[in-house]
Amino acid sequence: MKKSTFVSMILGTIGGILFALGMCMTLITEWNAFKPGVIMGVTGVIVLLIMVIVWRKMEHKAPIQVSGKTIGASLMGIAGALLLGVGMCLTMVWNHMIVGIVVGIVGIVALLCLIPFVKGLK
């Protein structure tokens, strides 16, 4: 295993755990830990961003160029993930089966559209 892969694996695990725990702390009202949850979630996101920067530097890759395509792909991924999550909540939590399935499928299609958008068609 390369050193860059190991470092990114460790940082990714730490950042993911911090972010997930922060989300749980903010969204589970019984815990009464909204503010500490936000702080922990933001800390997790910062660790994940540091992981990307460190990994790219260790792999001798150029920094990520922010362009319209990069922003569009990010927004499309966020929207697709949110739609998929809302669809799952509609079916499993709020008992709106048909609407939830339709919204979830729209989210899956949006996420699948990312592949040709980012990689292009050949």
Side-chain angles (χ1 to χ4, degrees):
M1 177 182 285
K2 292 176 17 179
K3 189 190 313 184
S4 62
T5 306
F6 181 72
V7 169
S8 63
M9 181 181 67
I10 297 298
L11 286 175
T13 303
I14 292 169
I17 289 172
L18 287 174
F19 180 72
L21 188 58
M23 292 297 291
C24 289
M25 289 169 70
T26 58
L27 296 175
I28 299 175
T29 55
E30 290 85 15
W31 290 9
N32 292 325
F34 184 81
K35 286 183 182 180
V38 170
I39 293 169
M40 189 167 294
V42 169
T43 304
V45 169
I46 290 171
V47 170
L48 291 171
L49 290 174
I50 289 171
M51 178 211 52
V52 171
I53 294 168
V54 167
W55 181 79
R56 290 188 72 83
K57 193 167 193 97
M58 290 178 81
E59 290 288 320
H60 304 294
K61 294 188 179 225
I64 297 173
Q65 299 296 324
V66 178
S67 65
K69 185 177 179 182
T70 305
I71 294 171
S74 299
L75 291 176
M76 191 172 175
I78 291 168
L82 285 174
L83 283 172
L84 180 59
V86 167
M88 289 175 61
C89 286
L90 282 168
T91 57
M92 294 190 299
V93 177
W94 297 314
N95 294 323
H96 298 292
M97 188 66 71
I98 303 299
V99 177
I101 290 172
V102 170
V103 171
I105 289 174
V106 170
I108 290 170
V109 168
L111 291 172
L112 286 174
C113 288
L114 276 174
I115 297 168
F117 183 72
V118 172
K119 296 290 183 182
L121 296 174
K122 293 179 184 172

